[in-house]
């Protein structure tokens, strides 16, 4: 089955700096790669996603890149703000959706 | 947008009792629903995948007789934790998908189960 690895587990940045979170996946059949933001005790919220036929996607301060050959994808957040502080999960899906271990992002004002 | 409702949001029960959690897709038909379990400060662990009208597919290590999943309609899936033990205490969250693989998931709000 699919195995998703995510790094780093924790990330602390100053407000205004960029944050990068990286994930790798094992199943070459996976074709959909979403990123979720989860605040404590809340449901995960989809922030951006990318499909396997696209290499990069951007939505305002958030971008995702995908390298199918290397089986890795990354989340980039620019101009970080304190409200970006949360746990971020990557996921990979062919039929089932498997999640990475999560990255706790802290943005210091 | 697609809305998934999950109830109850919080339940406290005694050891040995059973607890049922409901997951409903309110404005779309969910061909597939997923049940995840999340321990504090950890990731979402897939427990099982259910398709309407068929038996759920359980992940390795998940006891199907303990975690009963019923996906009786295109808008409702239930998870029943049978004979609950304190180690079953966790955050359970469902998600629903409209189409086949490669479609985004919509999450319920989660259920915090505490077994005394």
């Amino acid at each position: 089955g699919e195995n998703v690895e995510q790094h780093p587990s924790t990330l602390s940045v100053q407000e205004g700096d960029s944050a990068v979170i990286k994930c790798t996946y094992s199943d070459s059949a996976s074709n959909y790669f979403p990123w979720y933001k989860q605040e404590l005790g809340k449901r995960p919220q989809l922030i951006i996603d990318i499909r396997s036929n696209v290499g990069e996607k951007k939505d305002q301060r958030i971008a995702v890149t995908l390298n199918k050959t290397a089986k890795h994808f990354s989340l980039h957040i620019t101009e970080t703000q304190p409200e970006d502080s949360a746990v971020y999960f990557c996921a990979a899906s062919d039929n089932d959706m498997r999640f990475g271990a999560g990255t706790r992002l802290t943005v210091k004002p | 947008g697609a809305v998934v409702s999950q109830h109850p949001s919080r339940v406290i029960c005694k050891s040995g009792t059973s607890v049922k959690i409901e997951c409903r897709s309110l404005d779309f038909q969910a061909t597939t629903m997923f049940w995840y379990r999340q321990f504090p400060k950890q990731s979402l662990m897939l427990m099982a995948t259910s398709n309407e009208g068929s038996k759920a597919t359980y992940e390795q290590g998940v006891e199907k007789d303990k975690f009963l999943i019923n996906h009786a309609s295109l808008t409702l899936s239930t998870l029943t934790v049978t004979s609950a033990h304190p180690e079953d205490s966790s955050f359970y969250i469902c998600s629903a998908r409209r189409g086949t693989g490669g479609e985004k998931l919509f999450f319920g709000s989660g259920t915090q189960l505490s077994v005394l």
Side-chain angles (χ1 to χ4, degrees), chain A residues 8-74:
Chain A
S9 57
T10 60
L11 179 59
S12 180
V13 300
Q14 285 296 131
E15 181 177 2
D17 288 350
S18 295
V20 180
I21 303 170
K22 298 182 179 182
C23 287
T24 61
Y25 62 99
S26 61
D27 188 351
S28 56
S30 289
N31 55 16
Y32 176 64
F33 307 91
W35 286 88
Y36 288 87
K37 176 183 180 182
Q38 187 181 29
E39 297 178 5
L40 189 63
K42 302 282 183 64
R43 78 185 81 194
Q45 298 283 352
L46 179 69
I47 56 172
I48 196 166
D49 56 8
I50 192 167
R51 298 186 188 279
S52 58
N53 58 349
V54 177
E56 185 174 353
K57 183 176 177 181
K58 188 174 181 180
D59 182 4
Q60 299 183 334
R61 297 186 298 109
I62 296 173
V64 57
T65 58
L66 171 66
N67 183 327
K68 283 177 57 180
T69 303
K71 295 196 189 73
H72 64 70
F73 55 114
S74 301

Side-chain angles (χ1 to χ4, degrees), chain B residues 31-110:
Chain B
T31 54
T32 306
M33 287 188 173
F34 302 90
W35 287 94
Y36 292 88
R37 182 174 182 177
Q38 187 174 35
F39 291 106
K41 298 185 179 180
Q42 293 191 21
S43 187
L44 297 118
M45 301 304 298
L46 180 64
M47 297 176 67
T49 302
S50 73
N51 293 292
E52 182 266 339
S54 61
K55 290 183 178 179
T57 302
Y58 289 80
E59 292 298 294
Q60 192 172 9
V62 178
E63 298 176 58
K64 62 180 181 181
D65 294 330
K66 180 166 186 62
F67 299 100
L68 300 178
I69 291 172
N70 186 339
H71 193 160
S73 75
L74 283 170
T75 60
L76 174 65
S77 177
T78 60
L79 167 66
T80 301
V81 183
T82 62
S83 187
H85 291 152
E87 55 264 34
D88 298 326
S89 300
S90 186
F91 188 64
Y92 293 87
I93 190 163
C94 70
S95 64
R97 186 172 65 199
R98 252 190 284 241
T100 57
E103 296 289 334
K104 61 184 66 174
L105 298 189
F106 300 95
F107 282 88
S109 53

